[in-house]
Amino acid sequence: MLRLSIVLVLVLFSFCMVCTESAFAKGERYGVSAQYFNIDSVKFDEGSTDETNTIKFGLVHSRPIDENNNRWRWLFNLNYLSAEVPAQSNLGSQSIGIYGVYQEVQSLQFRVIPQYAVADWGWMTPLLGLGISTSYSQYSERWQVDSDGIKYGDQLEDIEAFEFGLVASVGTVIKLGSNPNAHLQLVPEILYNHSFNNGLGGIEFSLTLLF
């Protein structure tokens, strides 16, 4: 976990430096986000995890892709989560030799999502987006759990993994204020995270405040 903490500090420092260099560029926004994340179950060689819910927190930066066309923008998002993931609970009564896996995870995720404004209703702008994500995750306190919910055998080895996937989003920008270059933006979104290599995926409900 110490390695992930060091990575987190370095990435946050780099993010702040980038924000400082371009803080007064036209159309750019910086902010914070919170996400309610429903993590899908994941299958390992030792067994499967169950679905679980957790909260992620993040830093956000958005900027126009083309200053002459404000319908498109980049969204850069850096998220951190720490969660306990329960073992698969529906093993059934005939599950001799079949186990679920309990584990704890800490993950640092970076994603880039091009977003398109499908309409402009003045104070509200609905958006669609499709982008990519990459994560560095550490899985610890991993145990096989039997159908009775009892830990079985020895503790499993910790896992460190770089994960990557696709992110699809639909949401809207709610503009707070009358000045088009200075207003705050409240951005509720629904996102789906698809992992290509057995990582953290699932549906996410996000709320972002940009300024």
Side-chain angles (χ1 to χ4, degrees):
M1 297 304 174
L2 178 60
R3 186 181 302 178
L4 183 58
S5 300
I6 295 173
V7 171
L8 179 60
V9 170
L10 292 175
V11 172
L12 288 176
F13 178 76
S14 300
F15 186 88
C16 292
M17 291 296 293
V18 171
C19 292
T20 301
E21 291 178 359
S22 57
F24 299 102
K26 181 179 178 181
E28 295 195 64
R29 298 285 185 268
Y30 302 89
V32 293
S33 63
Q35 300 99 22
Y36 181 78
F37 188 24
N38 178 252
I39 303 175
D40 291 338
S41 62
V42 180
K43 185 176 182 180
F44 297 94
D45 292 339
E46 305 91 346
S48 299
T49 63
D50 208 347
E51 292 185 10
T52 190
N53 300 315
T54 189
I55 302 294
K56 296 193 296 183
F57 297 98
L59 299 174
V60 183
H61 170 50
S62 68
R63 63 186 304 163
I65 292 177
D66 181 354
E67 290 188 2
N68 297 317
N69 182 357
N70 59 9
R71 296 181 73 98
W72 284 95
R73 73 175 183 179
W74 294 108
L75 185 74
F76 303 96
N77 192 194
L78 178 67
N79 295 311
Y80 174 77
L81 72 83
S82 179
E84 297 180 3
V85 183
Q88 184 179 10
S89 57
N90 58 346
L91 297 175
S93 59
Q94 305 299 321
S95 58
I96 298 175
I98 301 177
Y99 302 94
V101 171
Y102 167 88
Q103 58 192 10
E104 297 175 8
V105 58
Q106 288 189 321
S107 182
L108 186 65
Q109 178 195 51
F110 179 73
R111 56 194 183 196
V112 180
I113 308 175
Q115 292 184 321
Y116 177 72
V118 298
D120 186 357
W121 300 334
W123 62 278
M124 180 180 290
T125 304
L127 298 169
L128 295 175
L130 180 64
I132 59 175
S133 70
T134 182
S135 304
Y136 173 66
S137 301
Q138 292 183 338
Y139 300 90
S140 60
E141 293 296 325
R142 304 179 67 243
W143 293 88
Q144 283 186 314
V145 178
D146 63 20
S147 57
D148 295 321
I150 299 173
K151 293 179 180 179
Y152 176 84
D154 297 328
Q155 182 175 336
L156 304 175
E157 291 186 2
D158 292 353
I159 295 176
E160 297 181 0
F162 285 98
E163 302 162 358
F164 56 94
L166 286 177
V167 182
S169 69
V170 57
T172 186
V173 171
I174 301 173
K175 301 172 184 177
L176 308 175
S178 58
N179 186 337
N181 292 318
H183 58 246
L184 297 176
Q185 295 182 353
L186 191 64
V187 188
E189 290 180 280
I190 300 175
L191 304 99
Y192 180 72
N193 299 265
H194 175 74
S195 176
F196 288 114
N197 59 336
N198 223 29
L200 301 175
I203 296 176
E204 179 181 318
F205 301 92
S206 174
L207 186 63
T208 300
L209 178 62
L210 295 172
F211 52 90

